[in-house]
Amino acid sequence: METLYSYSNALNVAAVCSGRFDRVMFNCSTNDNSGSKKWQRGMQFVTLGLAKRMVIHESKVASNTCWSYVSRRTVQAAASTSDICPSANFDVDKNIKEKIQGQPPLHIDQFYLPELHCCFPAKSYPELDGICEEIFLWVSQWKHFETEEERELLRQSNLPGIFGWTVPYSARRDRMLLAGKLATSVCMFDDLSDQAQQLGAEANSLRNITLHITAVLEGHDSNHDLAIPEVIALSSILRQLRANMSPRLYQRHADAMISGLLSFETQADRRATSAVPDLPTYILDRRNAFWFDSMEVIIEYCLGVELDEETLHMESMQELHKACSDYMAWTNDLISFRTEYFQGDLQNLLSVVHFDIGGNLDFQYAVNKAIRMIQTRERDFVRILHQISLSEVAARKPDLRLYLRNLPYALSGHLHWLYSSPRFHGIGHTMAESRQGIVQMDPDKTVLLSLQDQYMASKLAMDTAALIHLNS
């Protein structure tokens, strides 16, 4: 625990020594007379001795006004379970009035990211490497890369791994190959939406693109695609799915993607105005825009099963899918935050939570609350999965049992892919080896410092300042 106190104090010492007095944080009570708290107050006086001026934030706790440094314990206490949406029930009235307001931009230099531990093991599809290479060659046939760096980032990003780590026991390689192409083309469509205003007169808005894809999904197109390679590729894959899936399975997939496209447009409109929704609204929109219902269908397709209507309409099954979707979407938001921050994108769980709790607290509060939300959804998933697995319905339905045995890999596999894909970390950079530390907000790559490294750097700054003071 003292290492954590050391880290928080070290950051403040470094802020003082570098003249960033506005970044010194105070927010603890003096009620706790433990050794760590006494040590912490001692560090306070050392830092105060170096400061010429400070912006002091007063915090009243138990009728005592005090000045002290933020500790990790304080941050975690602030993100108590009462601050989080109720377990297994994140739904709100679908007609809820959105509270969307323009928000000021975030200014973040660094934050502490603890490691997320998924309770399920991660396992990849045995032929995933070969499938990734085959799909990369497929993309190279129609995609024009502006730079060699762009080409290499796509190669390293392992986009087919979205399903390769989610459905490790797929029975058929051809289905996994098609799923990998879908994942790749959807991710490239996602990238395309960020630059929709640059696509030219033929497709001068994201709306034109989504209308076209909707037509393809509904089977109303005449095989005429917009002259955009990413749209042509996605349309081609959707037509192949329509030809290879059963009509019922494909209709579920099409309905899910159309719903996702509508939420996708909503988020794009907010990006254009830097608008941030309230947390319940964001949760509902994110479920659709993340396209988990579509992913669920692809998982069934890769496994060679098809869940019946009775199973799909079970309340417990719907809650299981919501918990799985939230976990996957929110971990995505957490790991991709640095990338989206430098794109000016506030449609991210961390940003939404930060502004939802007022926007005036240290950003670490939002990080800790988001992590608690993710952990809550993992517990919900485990509880509901156990409940369904022991049910009479599962006992008489082998397709459901196979599906339930595979679904946990959606959590563990997706988390592994997020850590290991350079898509969110920069060419040649991943979080596969080190999954926790202080995230330095570098625009090009993920840079993680350990608590010890940060403390030693801050201690050096403090010692240097003390020597300068002695010699002056």
Side-chain angles (χ1 to χ4, degrees):
M1 181 59 70
E2 288 198 2
T3 300
L4 300 179
Y5 285 125
S6 301
Y7 162 62
S8 57
N9 279 291
L11 292 185
N12 287 291
V13 170
V16 170
C17 293
S18 61
R20 294 297 300 275
F21 302 100
D22 58 302
R23 293 183 57 194
V24 179
M25 300 296 296
F26 303 85
N27 193 20
C28 287
S29 169
T30 54
N31 288 346
D32 186 350
N33 290 316
S34 65
S36 293
K37 186 66 67 175
K38 291 178 181 178
W39 177 89
Q40 187 182 10
R41 289 200 295 273
M43 284 298 297
Q44 171 191 348
F45 293 121
V46 172
T47 311
L48 287 172
L50 295 174
K52 302 290 185 180
R53 56 187 174 85
M54 286 187 176
V55 178
I56 304 297
H57 300 279
E58 295 187 353
S59 174
K60 291 189 176 181
V61 183
S63 301
N64 290 327
T65 300
C66 62
W67 298 341
S68 183
Y69 288 102
V70 166
S71 69
R72 200 62 54 202
R73 178 187 297 170
T74 306
V75 173
Q76 291 173 343
S80 64
T81 54
S82 62
D83 295 328
I84 306 172
C85 299
S87 173
N89 184 19
F90 286 85
D91 280 328
V92 296
D93 183 353
K94 292 186 183 299
N95 296 319
I96 186 173
K97 181 179 179 181
E98 295 185 15
K99 297 185 294 184
I100 302 175
Q101 301 174 346
Q103 297 288 354
L106 288 171
H107 297 288
I108 303 169
D109 293 326
Q110 59 187 7
F111 63 91
Y112 175 69
L113 181 66
E115 180 178 358
L116 287 172
H117 297 276
C118 184
C119 63
F120 301 107
K123 182 177 177 62
S124 69
Y125 183 69
E127 300 181 52
L128 179 59
D129 290 343
I131 286 176
C132 287
E133 186 61 28
E134 185 173 340
I135 292 177
F136 176 74
L137 295 175
W138 168 71
V139 173
S140 299
Q141 293 173 2
W142 51 263
K143 170 68 176 175
H144 172 70
F145 296 100
E146 297 292 338
T147 64
E148 182 61 28
E149 288 76 12
E150 181 185 4
R151 183 178 186 274
E152 186 59 26
L153 180 60
L154 179 66
R155 177 191 287 275
Q156 293 185 17
S157 290
N158 188 20
L159 298 180
I162 293 176
F163 285 113
W165 284 92
T166 300
V167 198
Y169 295 112
S170 175
R172 292 174 50 176
R173 188 183 188 278
D174 59 333
R175 295 190 176 189
M176 182 59 72
L177 178 63
L178 192 56
K181 288 184 176 181
L182 176 67
T184 301
S185 55
V186 166
C187 286
M188 297 181 74
F189 168 76
D190 182 48
D191 296 339
L192 182 71
S193 69
D194 294 333
Q195 52 180 339
Q197 70 277 10
Q198 304 173 15
L199 294 178
E202 185 173 355
N204 56 10
S205 72
L206 180 61
R207 180 61 177 164
N208 290 342
I209 299 174
T210 57
L211 284 174
H212 173 79
I213 294 176
T214 299
V216 173
L217 287 164
E218 294 176 340
H220 300 322
D221 63 303
S222 59
N223 292 327
H224 172 70
D225 290 318
L226 297 174
I228 304 170
E230 291 84 352
V231 177
I232 295 173
L234 178 56
S235 300
S236 172
I237 297 303
L238 294 176
R239 293 187 187 103
Q240 291 182 52
L241 286 172
R242 187 169 62 206
N244 286 277
M245 285 182 170
S246 71
R248 176 178 169 274
L249 196 63
Y250 177 78
Q251 190 58 53
R252 284 174 52 203
H253 176 258
D255 291 345
M257 285 206 70
I258 291 171
S259 177
L261 287 170
L262 294 175
S263 293
F264 209 76
E265 287 186 47
T266 299
Q267 290 195 349
D269 291 340
R270 290 182 188 144
R271 289 188 183 100
T273 60
S274 297
V276 181
D278 61 21
L279 184 55
T281 302
Y282 177 78
I283 289 172
L284 290 178
D285 285 346
R286 189 70 173 106
R287 282 179 187 159
N288 288 328
F290 190 67
W291 286 333
F292 175 77
D293 288 345
S294 170
M295 294 181 66
E296 172 212 331
V297 174
I298 299 300
I299 291 173
E300 292 178 50
Y301 174 70
C302 290
L303 290 173
V305 303
E306 187 170 336
L307 301 181
D308 58 29
E309 293 300 321
E310 179 192 14
T311 300
L312 293 172
H313 286 94
M314 289 169 52
E315 182 179 356
S316 56
M317 199 68 180
Q318 294 176 1
E319 291 301 322
L320 181 70
H321 284 154
K322 289 175 185 176
C324 188
S325 174
D326 290 342
Y327 181 91
M328 295 173 70
W330 297 350
T331 51
N332 186 295
D333 285 2
L334 186 70
I335 303 302
S336 67
F337 174 77
R338 181 200 60 83
T339 301
E340 295 174 358
Y341 172 85
F342 286 106
Q343 294 173 347
D345 186 357
L346 298 178
Q347 302 305 304
N348 180 289
L349 180 64
L350 297 187
S351 302
V352 171
V353 169
H354 175 69
F355 289 118
D356 195 69
I357 60 179
N360 56 354
L361 297 176
D362 185 71
F363 187 70
Q364 191 66 47
Y365 283 81
V367 175
N368 278 273
K369 178 171 180 176
I371 288 173
R372 281 177 173 263
M373 290 173 64
I374 292 170
Q375 292 170 337
T376 297
R377 289 316 257 163
E378 182 183 14
R379 290 193 296 270
D380 293 340
F381 179 88
V382 172
R383 173 178 53 80
I384 302 170
L385 179 69
H386 181 70
Q387 172 189 335
I388 299 175
S389 299
L390 297 179
S391 69
E392 178 271 336
V393 176
R396 57 184 170 84
K397 295 185 178 182
D399 278 4
L400 175 57
R401 294 197 298 273
L402 176 59
Y403 179 79
L404 293 177
R405 283 198 298 271
N406 185 91
L407 194 58
Y409 291 108
L411 276 68
S412 60
H414 188 68
L415 182 62
H416 174 87
W417 179 78
L418 290 172
Y419 279 132
S420 61
S421 174
R423 175 175 174 81
F424 305 111
H425 308 296
I427 298 175
H429 294 271
T430 71
M431 292 178 64
E433 299 298 327
S434 178
R435 297 186 174 188
Q436 66 177 350
I438 302 143
V439 179
Q440 303 292 304
M441 296 303 284
D442 186 295
D444 301 318
K445 58 186 180 297
T446 297
V447 178
L448 282 177
L449 293 181
S450 69
L451 296 176
Q452 183 67 21
D453 289 341
Q454 183 71 56
Y455 172 66
M456 293 306 295
S458 301
K459 185 177 185 300
L460 177 62
M462 184 179 70
D463 292 344
T464 302
L467 287 174
I468 294 174
H469 177 72
L470 291 174
N471 294 327
S472 62

